[in-house]
Amino acid sequence: MLEGTFRGLSLTIMHPFNVISILQIFGFFSVIYALRRVYVIAFVYYNRPTNVPLQATPFAIGKWWQNFDFIFHGPTLILEGYNKYSKSSSFGIPSLEEYQVLACTKADIKELCNSKEDALSFHVAMTDRMFHKYTMYGFEYGEPDPHDNVPTRAIKVLFRMQLPLLRPLIERKVRHGFEQEISHGLTVDGWSSVSTMKFTKGVIEEVNAQIILGEKLASKPNCVEAAIRYSHDAVIAAEIARQFPRFMIPVVAPGVMAWSGAMKKVAGYITAVVEERLAQEMKGLNPSKTYMDCIQWTIDSSQTPGQRATPRLVAQIIGILLASSHQLSMFLAYIIYNICIYPEYLTPLREEIAAAMRISPEDPFKEMHLLDGFLLETARLNPLDALAVQRKVLKPTTLPSGAYIPPGNLIAVPQHAVYQDANRFSNPLHFNPRRFRQQTQDDDKPVKKFTDVSYDYLHWGSPRRACPGRWYATHTLKQAVVHLVTEYDVKLQNEKADRSFFWTTAIVPRFSTRFMLKKRVQMSIKKPFVHQD
C-alpha cells in the first residue's frame, strides 16, 4: 500500500506539467529574491553612515559581493576593518540589510553601552534577528512588560536567591549528563570519543530541563526532546526568514517552526503546568514554597493581569529556554577545546580545586581564581559572536568620534577584534588565564571574576544591561569544568581538525570536532555541594 502511494506521488511530481509548474514557482521566487536584493543594496547605500570610514559600499566595484561574503566571513571582514581603522576611528561595514557601525574608541563604546532604548534599541535589534513573534510562541517586546521586569526579576533576583539551594541538584545533573553522553560515545584505545558540541549540548540540556522546566517536565522524555528540537528549529527559522522580504516572514517563519511542531508541543507541556500552579494559587495554596524552577519564578515575577495571562507566561518561559540553550553549550565546547589545547593548566586547576574544597567546602568556587581566569580568557579568545552590545538605530545618532548613523542601521562593539588588540591586551593572541589577576586599568574596575562586567570586557553585554542569568551560567560551567578535570583525562581526537565556523557574525563550534575522555584514577577530593555520608 505504501509502495503504491509513493509511486503515485513520484509520478505526480514528475509529470511534465507539474515539473514545469515547480520550475515556474522556483523561477518566480528567484526573481522576487533578486529584485529584493537590488532594492536592499540600493537602500543600504542610500542610508549609509557618514563621517566615518566605510570598509566598503554596496555599489563599490569589486566589493559588492561583501554583502553576501558577510554571511560566511563576517568576523574576518570585521577584523580586517578594525586593524585598518580602529587606531583613529570607529568604522562601518555593510552586512545583509544595513550598515554595521562598529564602535572602536573607548568613548564610542561607552556611549553605546549607556544609550537609551528609544534611540539605540536592543529589543528591535534582537527582534530583527530572531523574529520572536514566530519563534517564541507569540512573544513580543513591549506591553505588558515594556521594561523586561518579569524576566529580570525571575532570573536576576529569584533564581539567584535560590542558587545556593540548587547547587547540589545542578551537580547531580551535570554528572548524569556526562554519564549519558559518554555512554553514547565511541571507544578508541581505551578512551571515549564524543562530538564536543553534542556532548556539551547534552550536559547543558540535562541541567536546563530541570532548572527551567522543573522536575515534572524534566522527567518526561517527550517534553525534553521537544524542548531540544524547539531550540534548534527557532534558530533555523530565524536564519531562513532573514533571507526573505519582510512581507513573507509571517508565512516563512511559522512554516519552518511548524515543520516539526516542537514549539507547539513544548508550549503545551508548559501551559499545563502553568495552569496547574495558577489554580493552586486560586485555592489559597503557595506553590512558590514548593517549586524551584523558572516556571514558578516567572509566575511569581508577573504582577499585572496581562503579565499573568497564560499565553504570555508560556511565551516568557519559552524565551528563557531558548536563551539558555545555545550559548552555554557553545561556550562549554570552547572551554573543553582550551583544556585540551593547553594541558599545562590541568595540574594547577586540579590543585586549586582540591585546595578550595578544603578552605571553603560550602562555596569552593569563590576560591577558584585560576578557574575564573580560564573562563575569562576563553571568552576573550573564543567569543561566541564577533559583535557585542548590538543595537538598532531608531533615532539619528552621532557618536563622540563624530560618526553619524541614520535610523535603520546597526551599531555594535567588535569584541572579537577588540580582544585581539595589543593596545588593550598585552600579547593578545597568547592564552593566559592569569592576566586578569595581574591587570591594572585606569578607567574601569578590573575584571577578575567571570561574572564581572566592564566597558573593556563585554562577554555579558553592556554594564548597564548585563545578562541577568550570568550567575547561573557561571555556576553551571564551573561545575562542568570541575567535574571534567577532576574525573577525567582529556585530549582532542584530531588536533588539526577545524573547531569552528562563521555564520554572519556568529562563531560556532563544529559538531564534527571530537574530543576524548578517560576516567582518572579516583582521587580523594570531596565533590562540591554533595552531602556525603
Side-chain angles (χ1 to χ4, degrees):
M1 180 177 175
L2 285 176
E3 182 181 356
T5 300
F6 285 121
R7 185 183 296 113
L9 180 61
S10 63
L11 291 173
T12 300
I13 293 174
M14 295 307 297
H15 189 280
F17 177 78
N18 290 324
V19 170
I20 293 173
S21 298
I22 292 171
L23 291 175
Q24 288 174 335
I25 293 172
F26 178 77
F28 171 77
F29 280 106
S30 297
V31 171
I32 292 294
Y33 182 80
L35 291 174
R36 176 178 178 272
R37 289 310 306 170
V38 171
Y39 167 78
V40 167
I41 291 173
F43 176 78
V44 171
Y45 178 78
Y46 173 79
N47 200 45
R48 66 193 183 280
T50 57
N51 202 30
V52 61
L54 301 179
Q55 176 78 339
T57 61
F59 290 154
I61 296 176
K63 293 184 178 181
W64 65 274
W65 176 250
Q66 284 194 353
N67 287 78
F68 296 96
D69 198 30
F70 192 83
I71 296 176
F72 303 108
H73 303 100
T76 301
L77 296 174
I78 291 168
L79 181 60
E80 290 173 355
Y82 183 87
N83 290 335
K84 184 176 181 180
Y85 299 114
S86 67
K87 292 182 180 179
S88 58
S89 175
S90 299
F91 70 99
I93 184 170
S95 57
L96 293 177
E97 298 197 356
E98 65 277 300
Y99 263 93
Q100 303 252 14
V101 174
L102 304 181
C104 300
T105 68
K106 287 194 173 184
D108 283 359
I109 291 173
K110 284 189 176 182
E111 180 75 11
L112 170 58
C113 288
N114 294 323
S115 62
K116 294 183 178 180
E117 177 68 17
D118 64 351
L120 301 178
S121 176
F122 166 79
H123 288 159
V124 177
M126 293 301 101
T127 298
D128 285 352
R129 187 163 188 165
M130 286 303 301
F131 308 107
H132 301 109
K133 183 176 181 179
Y134 311 109
T135 62
M136 283 171 48
Y137 199 64
F139 177 84
E140 293 184 272
Y141 287 115
E143 294 295 341
D145 186 25
H147 303 297
D148 298 333
N149 291 330
V150 172
T152 299
R153 183 171 185 269
I155 303 301
K156 187 176 182 179
V157 179
L158 299 183
F159 188 0
R160 190 180 177 190
M161 288 171 56
Q162 299 292 339
L163 189 55
L165 299 175
L166 290 166
R167 285 168 176 167
L169 175 60
I170 292 173
E171 182 185 8
R172 289 198 298 272
K173 289 298 178 179
V174 166
R175 294 175 68 87
H176 186 257
F178 268 67
E179 293 167 2
Q180 288 290 104
E181 294 306 314
I182 291 173
S183 70
H184 298 151
L186 305 175
T187 301
V188 180
D189 297 330
W191 293 72
S192 296
S193 170
V194 295
S195 160
T196 310
M197 266 302 294
K198 184 178 182 299
F199 177 88
T200 59
K201 282 186 71 67
V203 172
I204 295 303
E205 285 158 357
E206 179 80 17
V207 180
N208 277 347
Q210 178 70 48
I211 299 300
I212 296 175
L213 300 177
E215 179 67 33
K216 183 176 181 179
L217 295 185
S219 64
K220 294 184 177 182
N222 289 341
C223 177
V224 175
E225 181 180 346
I228 295 170
R229 178 57 190 264
Y230 157 69
S231 65
H232 174 268
D233 290 353
V235 173
I236 297 299
E239 289 300 329
I240 291 175
R242 291 173 70 190
Q243 310 306 317
F244 285 83
R246 291 278 172 177
F247 73 89
M248 296 185 66
I249 290 173
V251 175
V252 174
V256 177
M257 294 302 296
W259 184 263
S260 71
M263 181 174 69
K264 187 176 180 180
K265 292 176 185 176
V266 73
Y269 284 111
I270 295 172
T271 297
V273 172
V274 167
E275 290 178 342
E276 178 185 6
R277 296 189 188 178
L278 291 176
Q280 290 176 7
E281 287 185 357
M282 293 294 292
K283 295 177 181 178
L285 302 176
N286 189 358
S288 301
K289 294 184 177 181
T290 305
Y291 305 104
M292 286 196 299
D293 53 50
C294 280
I295 293 179
Q296 190 58 48
W297 300 322
T298 302
I299 293 173
D300 292 343
S301 301
S302 303
Q303 305 299 321
T304 69
Q307 293 172 358
R308 292 178 67 83
T310 299
R312 177 71 183 189
L313 289 168
V314 173
Q316 287 273 19
I317 295 158
I318 282 181
I320 295 171
L321 179 67
L322 178 61
S324 64
S325 175
H326 296 284
Q327 305 293 318
L328 271 176
S329 57
M330 288 169 62
F331 189 66
L332 181 55
Y334 284 123
I335 294 171
I336 291 174
Y337 290 162
N338 286 332
I339 290 172
C340 295
I341 296 168
Y342 305 103
E344 64 269 26
Y345 289 104
L346 271 173
T347 296
L349 282 170
R350 287 166 178 160
E351 291 174 349
E352 178 182 76
I353 291 166
M357 301 299 183
R358 294 192 301 270
I359 296 170
S360 181
E362 295 303 318
D363 188 7
F365 290 159
K366 69 180 181 181
E367 303 295 334
M368 297 182 190
H369 306 302
L370 179 60
L371 179 54
D372 265 313
F374 202 96
L375 300 189
L376 285 164
E377 190 72 339
T378 296
R380 187 183 71 83
L381 288 176
N382 305 105
L384 306 184
D385 198 289
L387 303 180
V389 198
Q390 300 182 54
R391 301 290 187 265
K392 187 82 168 186
V393 181
L394 302 184
K395 295 180 179 179
T397 298
T398 301
L399 296 177
S401 64
Y404 172 78
I405 313 167
N409 290 291
L410 286 171
I411 181 170
V413 178
Q415 62 171 350
H416 179 243
V418 167
Y419 295 156
Q420 297 183 40
D421 188 340
N423 294 318
R424 296 173 184 260
F425 295 90
S426 62
N427 198 5
L429 298 182
H430 175 61
F431 187 86
N432 177 17
R434 295 185 175 90
R435 73 168 69 239
F436 294 95
R437 301 297 296 179
Q438 303 163 350
Q439 68 181 333
T440 58
Q441 297 174 351
D442 296 331
D443 297 333
D444 303 299
K445 181 181 179 181
V447 171
K448 294 184 182 296
K449 296 186 297 183
F450 188 53
T451 51
D452 287 346
V453 294
S454 80
Y455 296 113
D456 292 319
Y457 187 84
L458 298 166
H459 175 72
W460 300 112
S462 72
R464 181 177 178 177
R465 196 191 184 100
C467 173
R470 63 188 183 275
W471 291 277
Y472 162 63
T474 297
H475 181 87
T476 301
L477 291 169
K478 287 182 176 180
Q479 187 62 69
V481 173
V482 166
H483 184 63
L484 178 67
V485 303
T486 58
E487 295 284 336
Y488 299 93
D489 289 318
V490 295
K491 63 181 180 179
L492 292 174
Q493 181 163 325
N494 180 1
E495 294 182 358
K496 297 181 180 180
D498 291 336
R499 294 188 287 272
S500 63
F501 67 93
F502 299 150
W503 182 258
T504 62
T505 61
I507 306 172
V508 186
R510 291 182 178 273
F511 271 87
S512 59
T513 305
R514 304 178 73 86
F515 84 106
M516 304 175 75
L517 309 88
K518 183 166 66 174
K519 194 76 172 178
R520 299 178 68 221
V521 176
Q522 191 64 34
M523 307 295 289
S524 59
I525 297 178
K526 182 181 178 182
K527 297 302 176 185
F529 318 120
V530 171
H531 299 290
Q532 300 186 5
D533 298 330

